[in-house]
Amino acid sequence: MDSHESEIQGVVLVVEDDPLVQRALGRLFRKAGHRVELFENLASFMARDLPDDPTCLVLDLHLPDGNGLEIVDALHAGGTPVPAVVITAHGDVPTTVRAMRKGAVELIEKPFDNDQVLAAVAEGLARDAKDRAARRRRDAARGLLESLSPREREVFDLVVEGLANKVVASRLGVAEKTVKVHRARAMKKMDATSLADLIFIANTARSSEP
């Protein structure tokens, strides 16, 4: 069994204008068990909606219609970061540093080593799977917060700061009994059994990562 078959299997999007290199990469990734889509330029890639499964982008640095790093940067800026493995025939230190800063997993020079490319893609897919899970947790937590009424949210925000019910009541100008009622309702809606649960949900919802 190939050493990379035990890695996360996902979708590999290859953007490469050289037909021979494109086909070679396609065969390499399919053999490793990944789903592969091939694009000959940036325009055709950008016209495709990103997959819902763990995804890694493999692209040439210099393409007929632009620089591959521009797409990596645009995806991150647009809130849909996709781990990328950048392949180039003209690698240098400044280019490598720039690629890493823009979120590339690795910059690999041609002619490339198949094992090196497979390892980089495996890392990219693992990173994307982890990031997608984190986004799902964050979105779920934000959905729970949105289910709260305005008053329940006010109580929630003060409770997770560590304030006692009596202090929360004073801050909001309501009876302590009212705070207890809203706190109980908030905990029920959020399926929380403790203050620690509420704090965890709050921190998850506020997370900006990935």
Side-chain angles (χ1 to χ4, degrees), residues 104-140:
V105 175
E106 191 170 349
L107 188 143
I108 299 175
E109 289 190 55
K110 297 178 181 178
F112 52 80
D113 177 78
N114 285 351
D115 285 340
Q116 183 183 11
V117 174
L118 286 173
V121 166
E123 181 182 342
L125 290 171
R127 181 188 298 181
D128 195 46
K130 180 179 178 181
D131 289 349
R132 287 171 183 266
R135 286 196 291 271
R136 286 194 295 270
R137 290 192 296 270
R138 181 192 62 198
D139 292 344

Side-chain angles (χ1 to χ4, degrees), residues 11-144:
V11 184
V12 183
L13 306 177
V14 178
V15 188
E16 169 62 63
D17 62 312
D18 185 325
L20 293 178
V21 176
Q22 186 190 87
R23 286 196 293 271
L25 288 170
R27 287 194 298 269
L28 178 66
F29 299 135
R30 290 189 186 97
K31 185 178 179 181
H34 304 304
R35 202 166 86 235
V36 182
E37 295 185 29
L38 306 175
F39 306 88
E40 61 182 14
N41 53 46
L42 295 177
S44 60
F45 166 71
M46 292 303 291
R48 196 259 194 243
D49 291 333
L50 292 174
D52 293 327
D53 297 317
T55 301
C56 183
L57 176 61
V58 177
L59 75 168
D60 200 330
L61 179 63
H62 301 290
L63 292 158
D65 54 347
N67 185 301
L69 291 183
E70 295 174 358
I71 293 301
V72 177
D73 194 34
L75 290 171
H76 279 71
T80 53
V82 177
V85 175
V86 181
I87 297 174
T88 179
H90 309 287
D92 53 44
V93 173
T95 301
T96 301
V97 171
R98 184 183 172 211
M100 297 302 106
R101 285 178 175 172
K102 289 183 177 293
V105 175
E106 191 170 349
L107 188 143
I108 299 175
E109 289 190 55
K110 297 178 181 178
F112 52 80
D113 177 78
N114 285 351
D115 285 340
Q116 183 183 11
V117 174
L118 286 173
V121 166
E123 181 182 342
L125 290 171
R127 181 188 298 181
D128 195 46
K130 180 179 178 181
D131 289 349
R132 287 171 183 266
R135 286 196 291 271
R136 286 194 295 270
R137 290 192 296 270
R138 181 192 62 198
D139 292 344
R142 289 177 178 176
L144 290 174

Side-chain angles (χ1 to χ4, degrees), residues 6 29 54-55 61 63 66 104-106 119 136 143 146 151 161 163 176 186 193 198 200-201 206-207 209:
S6 62
F29 299 135
T55 301
L61 179 63
L63 292 158
V105 175
E106 191 170 349
R136 286 194 295 270
E146 291 173 359
R151 179 60 85 183
E161 288 182 16
L163 301 182
E176 186 175 352
T193 59
L198 293 181
F200 176 79
I201 292 170
R206 292 167 183 163
S207 172
E209 298 179 359

